Amino acid sequence: MVRNGFYRIIQACVGVFLRLHPCPLPRICEGSGSLMQIIWITKEEGKSNLLILTTPGTLRRGALDDLFAGLQQEGIAYTIYSGIREEPDIDHIEEAVCCYKEHHCDGIAAIGGGSVIDCAKVAAARIVRPEKSIPQMKGIFRIRKKLPLFLAVPTTAGSGSEVTMAAVVRDGQAQSKYPVEDFCLVPAYTVLDARLSVTLPQKLTAETGMDALTHAIESYTNRYGSRYARDYAKKAMVLIWENLPLVYEDGTDERARSAMLRGSSYAGVAFTNAMVGYVHAIAHAVGGRYGISHGLANAVILPVVLEAYGKSVEKSLAELADAVGIDGSDDAQKAEAFIGQIRERGRRMGIPDHLDQIQEADIPLLARNAIREANPLYPVPQIWDQKRMEEVIKEVRKGRKSC
């Protein structure tokens, strides 16, 4: 109990700090075809040589062909790095840094999902802090130096990384993930162009959308969050709740895709000012250990953790239920119905109700890693010890027998 009280004091102090020093926001360009704004932004910023981080799939679909042609026409050189796969590994980040230096670039454009943008963030940090290794940047405020010109263009509505101060790194050798957080990691510019996400596969649409929903809900249910953060979290949750089923069923619905991009960014603003919680801590632990995608891990873990929180989140979840028209006679019923709807929506999109990749013998280690990440900084509704964390991870592993 003494330790819990100490943790709450630290969390309250972090909450006060974030109220007094909210995370800065990037300048946002939005709308169909806004990808081409990268050309004019680069010229206005006086830069002439971009490192473009993206994925092989984005290149293969030809989504960036017009951008490349426009850059050439305006005399802006560019180099492409597309080595990132499922997660931003330390090796990918170091390769991107070498590419930037070798080609004498003076700006970075990250065009892809959260993994691409996170990779670009930490690569930019390594460029301005060459004396620091990536593990030395783990945690909060370890960089504290302005990045090169950095533009973020999300092609998925999930991570919210295009507006946040956070990046997640996977250490393949250690089989772990950890966050790197600093105000300087917020991109200078963010471009929200729905045309880039209309070809996103259903599976990725579902997993990234549930990731964004998790950001919004964890931000809203955390303690010590400001009204500013909670307002963004609720707006994000409503946009995602209404539009995720639409884009899952019809990926070409550009209006709904645009709403999802906005909702994901709102959720990013929310959690970068209110932080995440045990859902993310467990997701990072299991994702790092077994290579499970972050969105899938969050989607499975979210209802399990919300249920485990019990009465401590009933009021917050009831407010979110009210926002999307879920009925109930009191807060407890609304919260229960809300969690049930999360499970049902996941089921309809092919999300499993458990992660059978988790090995029972690994659960103590996974619990320790989750606690190490979350305590004491994440202002979670309840503070869990090792035993309680293990119990919840066991529930994630086996699922609900009634489902």
Side-chain angles (χ1 to χ4, degrees):
M1 294 299 292
V2 173
R3 178 179 293 182
N4 287 3
F6 174 68
Y7 287 172
R8 287 304 189 200
I9 291 171
I10 293 176
Q11 292 163 6
C13 290
V14 172
V16 170
F17 175 83
L18 289 173
R19 280 188 175 91
L20 296 176
H21 305 280
C23 184
L25 293 175
R27 294 176 63 179
I28 294 179
C29 304
E30 188 175 9
S32 182
S34 55
L35 174 69
M36 301 302 286
Q37 291 296 316
I38 288 178
I39 300 168
W40 315 121
I41 292 169
T42 304
K43 292 189 71 173
E44 287 176 4
E45 292 286 341
K47 307 301 179 183
S48 60
N49 193 348
L50 289 179
L51 174 64
I52 297 178
L53 282 78
T54 190
T55 63
T58 302
L59 295 173
R60 189 167 52 249
R61 290 190 295 272
L64 308 184
D65 289 352
D66 288 345
L67 173 63
F68 295 153
L71 290 170
Q72 288 179 336
Q73 186 175 341
E74 294 298 326
I76 299 171
Y78 64 89
T79 300
I80 299 170
Y81 175 73
S82 59
I84 309 154
R85 296 297 188 269
E86 289 294 325
E87 302 284 352
D89 196 279
I90 287 177
D91 291 341
H92 300 148
I93 295 166
E94 295 294 359
E95 287 173 3
V97 171
C98 290
C99 199
Y100 182 96
K101 293 179 177 179
E102 180 181 347
H103 294 276
H104 307 288
C105 299
D106 56 11
I108 297 176
I111 308 173
S115 294
V116 171
I117 298 172
D118 283 2
C119 179
K121 284 181 174 182
V122 185
R126 282 280 291 124
I127 289 163
V128 298
R129 284 288 195 188
E131 77 285 1
K132 282 196 170 187
S133 69
I134 294 171
Q136 288 173 331
M137 296 178 182
K138 176 181 178 180
I140 192 165
F141 299 136
R142 301 288 179 86
I143 304 163
R144 293 178 296 172
K145 193 168 184 180
K146 186 178 180 181
L147 304 186
L149 173 65
F150 182 31
L151 305 97
V153 188
T155 58
T156 64
S159 75
S161 188
E162 68 274 5
V163 296
T164 73
M165 61 181 278
V168 176
V169 176
R170 183 173 187 268
D171 187 332
Q173 289 188 337
Q175 292 186 315
S176 65
K177 291 182 184 179
Y178 52 80
V180 176
E181 300 178 87
D182 201 310
F183 284 158
C184 67
L185 293 181
V186 177
Y189 295 86
T190 291
V191 177
L192 303 179
D193 188 341
R195 292 197 308 184
L196 295 174
S197 64
V198 294
T199 57
L200 204 65
Q202 273 193 323
K203 182 176 185 294
L204 200 52
T205 295
E207 292 178 5
T208 56
M210 292 299 288
D211 186 18
L213 186 71
T214 302
H215 294 149
I217 294 173
E218 286 210 287
S219 302
Y220 197 84
T221 55
N222 273 354
R223 298 177 61 152
Y224 312 120
S226 64
R227 183 186 297 272
Y228 171 80
R230 287 170 64 84
D231 285 348
Y232 267 103
K234 184 180 283 188
K235 288 191 295 184
M237 204 280 300
V238 171
L239 281 170
I240 296 162
W241 194 267
E242 292 176 349
N243 289 281
L244 181 53
L246 300 179
V247 295
Y248 181 78
E249 293 299 332
D250 179 8
T252 64
D253 187 338
E254 199 168 307
R255 185 207 62 78
R257 288 285 192 189
S258 181
M260 281 296 296
L261 282 174
R262 194 177 307 116
S264 176
S265 292
Y266 285 171
V269 173
F271 88 75
T272 208
N273 284 283
M275 310 192 81
V276 288
Y278 284 143
V279 178
H280 273 74
I282 298 172
H284 291 154
V286 301
R289 185 72 172 173
Y290 307 110
I292 300 168
S293 76
H294 182 62
L296 174 60
N298 273 342
V300 176
I301 296 165
L302 176 63
V304 179
V305 168
L306 292 180
E307 203 165 61
Y309 281 146
K311 291 185 178 298
S312 65
V313 294
E314 280 182 358
K315 184 175 185 298
S316 295
L317 294 186
E319 291 169 355
L320 294 179
D322 286 339
V324 293
I326 295 175
D327 295 327
S329 61
D330 56 24
D331 286 353
Q333 281 195 6
K334 290 178 183 178
E336 182 180 3
F338 183 69
I339 296 170
Q341 281 290 309
I342 292 172
R343 282 198 166 96
E344 177 60 19
R345 283 170 172 243
R347 186 190 64 78
R348 290 178 182 175
M349 294 188 296
I351 302 290
D353 74 327
H354 65 290
L355 296 174
D356 57 11
Q357 300 95 323
I358 296 174
Q359 300 299 307
E360 188 166 3
D362 292 339
I363 289 176
L365 173 63
L366 297 173
R368 283 195 297 274
N369 287 343
I371 288 173
R372 190 179 298 119
E373 175 182 333
N375 296 343
L377 289 180
Y378 291 174
V380 288
Q382 289 179 342
I383 296 174
W384 293 346
D385 59 14
Q386 176 76 17
K387 180 182 177 183
R388 181 58 173 147
M389 185 65 78
E390 289 184 18
E391 291 171 350
V392 174
I393 295 175
K394 287 177 182 178
E395 288 296 317
V396 173
R397 176 176 180 263
K398 70 180 183 180
R400 305 179 84 211
K401 295 185 184 301
S402 59
C403 290

